[in-house]
Structure formats: structure tokens, C-alpha cells
Amino acid sequence: MSADPLTRPDTARRRPAWHVATVAELAPETPTAARLVLDVPTWPGNDAGAHLDVRLTAPDGYQATRSYSIASSGETSRVVLAVDEVPDGEVSPFLVRELRPGDQLELHGPLGAFFVWQPSRDDRPVQLIAGGSGVVPLYAMAASHAAAADPAPFRLLYSVRTPRHVFFADELAALVGPAFDLDLAYTREAPDGRQGDIGRITKDTLAARTIPAARRPQVFVCGPTGFVEAVASWLRALGHAAADIRTERFGGT
Amino acid sequence: MTHLDGNVLAGALADIFSVDLTPASARCTGCGAVAQLAEAMVYTNAPGIVARCATCDHVLATVVDAGDRLWLSLTGLSGIELRRA
Ligand SMILES: Cc1cc2nc3c(=O)[nH]c(=O)nc-3n(C[C@H](O)[C@H](O)[C@H](O)COP(=O)(O)OP(=O)(O)OC[C@H]3O[C@@H](n4cnc5c(N)ncnc54)[C@H](O)[C@@H]3O)c2cc1C
Ligand SMILES: [Zn+2]
């Protein structure tokens, strides 16, 4: 017996597959990162927060695969990524510096039904917490939330080195409104006049600047592995249930 | 390299299973903890991918991709529960 095609969930239609992408646009995102706009004619669309795997193949056949979160969502054949260069990395320096418009890439996706947000039509608040490039899937969620005019209140706490290192800075600023609050926490350098606020996120930052556990927010945390693990443990200490915290680790320290 | 988590398994498992297993809940055969596969600790620097229990570090699953062949072991998992959307 097959499911009614009208009520079949998006995730069933969006079965992962291999796709050939053509680089449509490339632009610097931050001093160390690039935004990649890809044309993927066969792309089935994706939920906000999903990722894909990029596979590079060297002339000798050697292959390297890495995961990248998708900054875009919904029914579109334009797929947007934002990649931060990891010095001496195998894949990211190529994507950030060597890629040119018109180049082709092999992609596997869309992937991941755990770290995704779908419009819910309930008003349970959502707290997003990002470190560095970990903002990519959370930006997709915030943009999708705005596009759907979803009533759930959203907040993003974003830990970032300096104002120049903010990914999707203009887009995030444009989303700010009654249903979306953006809070930037600078670790190295703040805009003029805010030098006193510099520092890494701590348990106290979370207590003061995120939606309290008493309001039962759904929390999404994404960034370097060490950041995600510290934040998730502080959230639990602050009373959030483990089941309310979803995490995605990007690696590194 | 430090570990990742079970989200990164989605690509490797999509080549094998027709549904995404990363949001599935499963019991660790080491300590009995039940968690979603996305919450496992995943090491990708071994010859293959190794997923370990976040509670007790027991090996839950391994995937080794050798190009023309693929090995999958799920011996550390029991009672995998998939939700129909
Ligand atoms: C689900 C998922 C989604 C991701 N989404 C994004 C994204 O949207 N944007 C993005 O820029 N990256 C993202 N990443 C990280 C990305 O997959 C790569 O790990 C990263 O680009 C480094 O790859 P590389 O081949 O250049 O470095 P490698 O050759 O793999 O590593 C080189 C050195 O850098 C260290 N390293 C590895 N990864 C990182 C890291 N993330 N940060 C710091 N040091 C690291 C390694 O330990 C190693 O010592 C994501 C990872 C996952 C698992
Ligand atoms: Zn265990």
C-alpha cells in the first residue's frame, strides 16, 4: 500500500541522491570564508538545516568527501553553501580559493532529518546557538521561519570572532523583527564601544541571553565540536531537557 | 581530529538504506542507553566511519567504503525504532 502522494511528507519526496552542481556565483563571505551559489537542476529541495556531502575526485582517482550545511531551503534548484577555510585542510581551501564559476561539483543530498526545522504552527519558542560557521544551518532555519511567517518566537545567539567574521550578516540583520532576535557575542573584537563584552560564551552568557528552560524552547546548537559540547552541557545544567536540545558538530576543536 | 556526531552518518547510510536512520532511536548493546543515531559520537579519521555511544563509548556501528564494496556493521545497536512522519 502506498501513501497518499498529497499527504506524503517532504522528506519522502526528498530522497538523497547524487547530483552534479555547477558553480553559479562565488563571493567572499568573511575574510576566511566564501559563499557558493550552486545550480543543481536535479535538486529536490531541502528542509532548513539539512546538509549535503561534497565529493572531490583527484585525477588519480583519490576521493575526499566532506559535509556542508545548506544555507538555502525549500523548493529550489539554487543551493547556497558557506564554507570557512580550515588552514591546511584537504577540501575547504579548494572550495574557498580554487573554485571558479562554471566549475562542476559532485553532491550527495539532501541529508539529515535530525538537525532540521520545519514550520510547526505552534508557538513553542526556538533558541538557536551558533559558533562560527555553525550558523549556516541556523541561518537557513531563521530564513525559513521568516518566509513561512511562522508564529514561533526565534532567537539566535551567535558567537563569532569579529564583526567581519559574521556569516550572512546583512541577511540576518534583515530578519530581525518581532519574531526574530539576533544577539552577536564577539570573542576577539566587538564593534566600537562594546569592547567590554568580548569573550567566549559561558554558562552565564547562556543564562542571561537565551530563552530560559522554563519556557521549554526547542534548542538547536551548531559549531565546532568543543563549542557544541560545552554549550549543550551548560544548557542541561540550566534545566533544559536533553530531548529539547539538538546538536550538530562540525569538527575541529 | 576530534569527533563529529551522527548527523554526518546520513550520507554513508543513504547509500544503504532507503530511509534516513539518523533520527532513528536505538539501544546501545553496551550500556542500554537509548538515543537517536544523530547523537552518537562519530570518528571519520579511521579507515572507515566509527559511531560510538555518547554515554559509554561502546562501538555502535562502522561503515567502511572501499569504492567497489562497502562494509556495514550495526552490532552495537539493537531495537532500532523509526518513526513514520
Ligand atoms: C554535518 C556537517 C555540516 C558542516 N557544515 C559546514 C559548513 O556549512 N561550513 C563549513 O565551513 N564547514 C562545515 N562543516 C565542516 C566541513 O565538513 C569540514 O570538516 C571542513 O570544511 C574542513 O575540511 P577540510 O577537508 O578542509 O579539512 P581536513 O583536511 O578534514 O582537516 C584539516 C585539519 O583541520 C581540522 N579540522 C577539521 N574540520 C574542522 C573544522 N570544522 N574546524 C576547524 N578545524 C577542523 C582537522 O582536525 C585537521 O587537523 C560541516 C561538518 C559537518 C559534519
Ligand atoms: Zn552505551
Side-chain angles (χ1 to χ4, degrees):
Chain A
M1 206 171 66
S2 64
D4 176 352
L6 293 174
T7 58
R8 205 153 45 133
D10 284 351
T11 40
R13 282 188 287 116
R14 292 168 177 170
R15 193 154 280 176
W18 286 94
H19 302 272
V20 176
T22 305
V23 178
E25 293 166 32
L26 285 166
E29 185 66 36
T30 75
T32 58
R35 187 183 307 194
L36 282 58
V37 181
L38 307 173
D39 254 330
V40 195
T42 52
W43 191 252
N46 60 274
D47 288 331
H51 67 274
L52 50 74
D53 287 353
V54 173
R55 181 167 73 190
L56 303 181
T57 306
D60 67 0
Y62 173 78
Q63 294 188 322
T65 303
R66 295 291 183 280
S67 300
Y68 293 96
S69 294
I70 307 167
S72 49
S73 67
E75 304 280 327
T76 172
S77 57
R78 281 245 148 156
V79 173
V80 181
L81 308 180
V83 179
D84 203 9
E85 181 176 353
V86 170
D88 303 322
E90 212 167 45
V91 170
S92 61
F94 172 82
L95 296 176
V96 172
R97 295 159 180 255
E98 309 291 332
L99 217 52
R100 296 289 174 264
D103 286 352
Q104 295 198 317
L105 283 177
E106 270 189 299
L107 306 182
H108 189 203
L111 300 172
F114 175 78
F115 201 76
V116 295
W117 178 82
Q118 289 172 315
S120 57
R121 303 282 153 212
D122 69 22
D123 51 10
R124 184 167 174 209
V126 174
Q127 176 71 53
L128 311 173
I129 305 176
S133 59
V135 77
V136 176
L138 305 185
Y139 163 66
M141 294 179 193
S144 166
H145 166 255
D150 186 89
F154 261 51
R155 290 193 69 161
L156 168 61
L157 176 64
Y158 181 7
S159 172
V160 63
R161 263 177 276 173
T162 79
R164 294 181 309 285
H165 288 84
V166 178
F167 284 64
F168 301 102
D170 295 341
E171 290 84 352
L172 284 169
L175 292 175
V176 172
F180 178 68
D181 181 73
L182 172 64
D183 185 358
L184 294 160
Y186 300 99
T187 60
R188 301 254 181 88
E189 179 192 319
D192 298 341
R194 289 193 41 196
Q195 301 307 316
D197 291 345
I198 293 175
R200 286 177 178 259
I201 284 182
T202 62
K203 188 178 160 198
D204 292 340
T205 320
L206 296 180
R209 290 161 66 173
T210 62
I211 301 169
R215 289 182 59 203
R216 289 291 311 273
Q218 170 80 63
V219 191
F220 291 90
V221 187
C222 187
T225 296
F227 173 88
V228 169
E229 301 205 332
V231 168
S233 74
W234 291 326
L235 288 169
R236 285 191 299 270
L238 290 168
H240 295 268
D244 291 340
I245 307 167
R246 295 205 164 200
T247 52
E248 185 161 85
R249 292 160 180 78
F250 273 12
T253 44
Chain B
M1 168 165 179
T2 61
H3 58 277
L4 299 169
D5 57 39
N7 293 297
V8 77
L9 294 172
L13 295 180
D15 285 340
I16 308 170
F17 298 102
S18 64
V19 290
D20 182 3
L21 283 186
T22 62
S25 295
R27 185 182 306 280
C28 167
T29 61
C31 71
V34 174
Q36 286 168 280
L37 205 50
E39 298 173 303
M41 303 289 114
V42 172
Y43 298 79
T44 54
N45 50 339
I49 304 175
V50 180
R52 290 178 175 273
C53 174
T55 305
C56 78
D57 216 36
H58 184 65
V59 175
L60 301 173
T62 53
V63 185
V64 179
D65 187 345
D68 60 337
R69 279 171 302 162
L70 197 138
W71 285 272
L72 169 72
S73 158
L74 298 174
T75 49
L77 293 169
S78 73
I80 300 173
E81 176 192 322
L82 283 155
R83 265 169 214 267
R84 292 207 176 84

